[in-house]
């Protein structure tokens, strides 16, 4: 099988596929309140276009696809897209990142369509604080969504919590206990300076939080498969895993294995750089599959070595939901 390798010897085998830049939440560190600069739906890749691009990536050895956004479940007919992508030769892992507000409605259809793993964003278990961070008073819906996800059979389910100083930082112990109780993997995430919202978020280095939680819960170093950026601790019996995604305090670019395709068909070679390939224009100008393959390989060859979130925090103007988080 072909493999996609960048100029730093990293194999690219994972595509994060945004299906919309819109979201039904307004997390304080992501989409600004009143933001209206969303991409015109006419610019969104159609399901046919997405299927074609993913088939080409799969032929190039990209076996793992994650549906994301914006909030992917706000795009109509997502289970249908999931089923079409999972059926492609070479795609052997299809996962979803969601805020779970609509998950109770879609969980069983998504699972039946072949989505096997779920990441759910959950920054607080306290309803007023959840509403304050996300701009919407809907914690019960999210918890219902999680229950539905579990019942549908998703495994593992990972909870992603962005840690915000002075807001939810003191809640991390409670979140660990919640995830232990429900058999969820927890990942704590440092805020990234994407857009003014990301830059203005109250950044907390997770190094001290890691030490605090390791001691409090008696955790040991661990590994969770998936090739992602998180560094893990585990309970001694292995039943609970806690990951730390630390783009600022300890970046992980040397093991980066991914690229991102935005809803409007722009391939982002690095979350924290401007290097892109406009796949939508190529597709709509009638490029054939061989041309598409060549263009993708050439783009991967210029994947940047690393982001510069720490050195150049003012660099990235676009917010996370525009790239596909
Ligand atoms: N709506 C889906 C969800 O909630 O998982 C997928 C898209 S969302 C943009 C993906 C992840 O990016 C979420 O976990 C969110 O908390 C995170 N995120 C957004 N902006 C961020 C920022 N500036 N720094 C760190 N994480 C951010």
């Amino acid at each position: 099988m072909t493999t996609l390798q960048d100029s730093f010897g990293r194999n690219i085998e994972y595509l994060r596929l945004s299906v919309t830049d819109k979201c039904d939440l307004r997390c304080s560190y992501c989409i600004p309140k009143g933001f209206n600069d969303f991409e015109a739906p006419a610019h969104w890749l159609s399901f046919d276009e997405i299927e074609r691009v993913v088939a080409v990536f799969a032929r190039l050895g990209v076996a793992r696809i994650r549906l994301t956004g914006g909030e992917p479940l706000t795009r109509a007919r997502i289970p249908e897209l999931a089923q079409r992508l999972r059926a492609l030769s070479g795609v052997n892992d299809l996962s979803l990142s969601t805020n779970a507000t609509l998950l109770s409605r879609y969980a069983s259809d998504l699972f039946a369509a072949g989505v096997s793993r779920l990441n759910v964003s959950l920054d607080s278990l306290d309803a007023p604080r959840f509403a304050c961070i996300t701009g919407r008073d809907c914690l019960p819906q999210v918890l219902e969504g999680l229950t539905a996800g579990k019942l549908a059979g998703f495994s593992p389910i990972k909870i992603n919590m962005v840690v915000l100083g002075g807001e939810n930082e003191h809640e991390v112990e409670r979140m660990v206990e919640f995830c232990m109780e429900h058999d969820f993997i927890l990942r704590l995430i440092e805020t990234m300076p994407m857009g003014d919202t990301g830059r203005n978020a109250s950044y907390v280095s997770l190094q001290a939080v890691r030490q605090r939680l390791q001691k409090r819960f008696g955790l040991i170093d661990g590994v969770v498969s998936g090739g992602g950026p998180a560094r893990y601790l585990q309970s001694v019996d292995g039943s609970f895993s806690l990951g730390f995604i630390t783009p600022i305090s300890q970046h992980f670019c040397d093991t980066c294995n991914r690229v991102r395709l935005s809803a409007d068909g722009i391939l982002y070679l690095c979350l924290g750089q401007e290097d892109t390939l406009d796949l939508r224009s190529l597709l709509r100008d009638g490029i054939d599959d061989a041309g598409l393959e060549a263009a993708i390989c050439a783009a991967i060859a210029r994947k940047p070595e690393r982001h510069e979130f720490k050195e150049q925090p003012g660099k990235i103007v676009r917010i996370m939901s525009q790239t596909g988080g």
Side-chain angles (χ1 to χ4, degrees):
M1 178 189 302
T2 328
T3 51
L4 271 179
Q5 204 177 63
D6 73 4
S7 63
F8 302 96
R10 295 172 298 196
N11 288 331
I12 306 305
E13 38 91 23
Y14 181 37
L15 176 68
R16 295 180 69 102
L17 176 72
S18 173
V19 292
T20 175
D21 57 340
K22 291 193 170 149
C23 188
D24 53 349
L25 299 183
R26 287 291 176 273
C27 296
S28 56
Y29 48 80
C30 191
I31 303 180
K33 289 205 170 57
F35 182 84
N36 223 353
D37 198 14
F38 294 107
E39 200 49 59
H43 289 167
W44 293 352
L45 294 191
S46 66
F47 283 5
D48 287 345
E49 289 169 326
I50 292 174
E51 189 178 6
R52 212 181 135 204
V53 171
V54 172
V56 169
F57 269 103
R59 277 202 295 281
L60 291 169
V62 176
R64 299 168 53 209
I65 310 291
R66 174 173 296 275
L67 301 172
T68 182
E71 173 44 47
L73 300 189
T74 63
R75 182 150 177 189
R77 301 186 289 116
I78 277 297
E80 178 194 325
L81 177 67
Q83 198 205 348
R84 287 172 66 170
L85 299 183
R86 187 64 184 88
L88 291 171
S89 164
V91 172
N92 60 27
D93 179 57
L94 185 61
S95 57
L96 171 76
S97 284
T98 177
N99 61 29
T101 57
L102 295 167
L103 188 58
S104 59
R105 193 182 304 170
Y106 290 114
S108 53
D109 286 352
L110 287 164
F111 191 73
V115 178
S116 53
R117 301 187 295 116
L118 268 188
N119 286 4
V120 173
S121 298
L122 180 60
D123 294 338
S124 179
L125 291 166
D126 174 79
R129 192 171 304 107
F130 180 95
C132 183
I133 294 173
T134 65
R136 227 180 113 193
D137 187 7
C138 62
L139 178 63
Q141 269 163 261
V142 170
L143 297 178
E144 269 168 41
L146 273 170
T147 305
K150 222 168 144 176
L151 279 176
F154 290 101
S155 176
I157 296 178
K158 295 180 185 167
I159 302 293
N160 287 336
M161 176 184 189
V162 174
V163 180
L164 302 161
E167 289 185 65
N168 63 357
E169 187 188 356
H170 64 284
E171 259 199 84
V172 291
E173 280 82 358
R174 184 171 173 203
M175 195 64 88
V176 168
E177 283 159 1
F178 172 81
C179 290
M180 283 176 159
E181 186 185 328
H182 291 278
D183 244 343
F184 300 142
I185 293 172
L186 174 60
R187 283 123 49 95
L188 303 179
I189 303 176
E190 289 178 350
T191 55
M192 293 171 234
M194 299 194 65
D196 288 338
T197 40
R199 262 184 290 285
N200 294 335
S202 177
Y203 168 77
V204 177
S205 164
L206 292 180
Q207 304 304 327
V209 175
R210 180 186 166 107
Q211 281 179 15
R212 187 172 104 208
L213 294 178
Q214 179 159 25
K215 206 164 153 204
R216 161 84 166 74
F217 293 97
L219 304 173
I220 55 174
D221 286 342
V223 179
V224 169
S225 62
R231 296 181 172 89
Y232 281 95
L233 294 174
Q234 266 178 354
S235 55
V236 175
D237 65 2
S239 64
F240 170 69
S241 298
L242 171 62
F244 295 83
I245 300 182
T246 55
I248 313 295
S249 67
Q250 194 181 10
H251 77 80
F252 34 79
C253 301
D254 52 339
T255 57
C256 185
N257 61 353
R258 61 202 54 202
V259 286
R260 293 173 158 83
L261 184 62
S262 65
D264 55 335
I266 308 297
L267 185 70
Y268 286 89
L269 302 169
C270 170
L271 185 60
Q273 297 287 2
E274 307 285 8
D275 308 68
T276 58
L277 169 67
D278 181 355
L279 283 173
R280 183 183 80 231
S281 295
L282 295 178
L283 289 165
R284 294 188 184 174
D285 287 346
I287 197 168
D288 63 12
D289 281 2
L292 213 46
E293 262 187 43
I296 290 170
C297 291
I300 297 295
R302 51 186 180 81
K303 180 174 163 65
E305 184 174 15
R306 49 164 302 199
H307 65 69
E308 294 161 301
F309 285 142
K310 199 167 170 179
E311 298 79 0
Q312 292 199 59
K315 184 164 183 175
I316 300 300
V317 174
R318 62 181 190 273
I319 52 178
M320 184 75 91
S321 74
Q322 287 170 316
T323 318

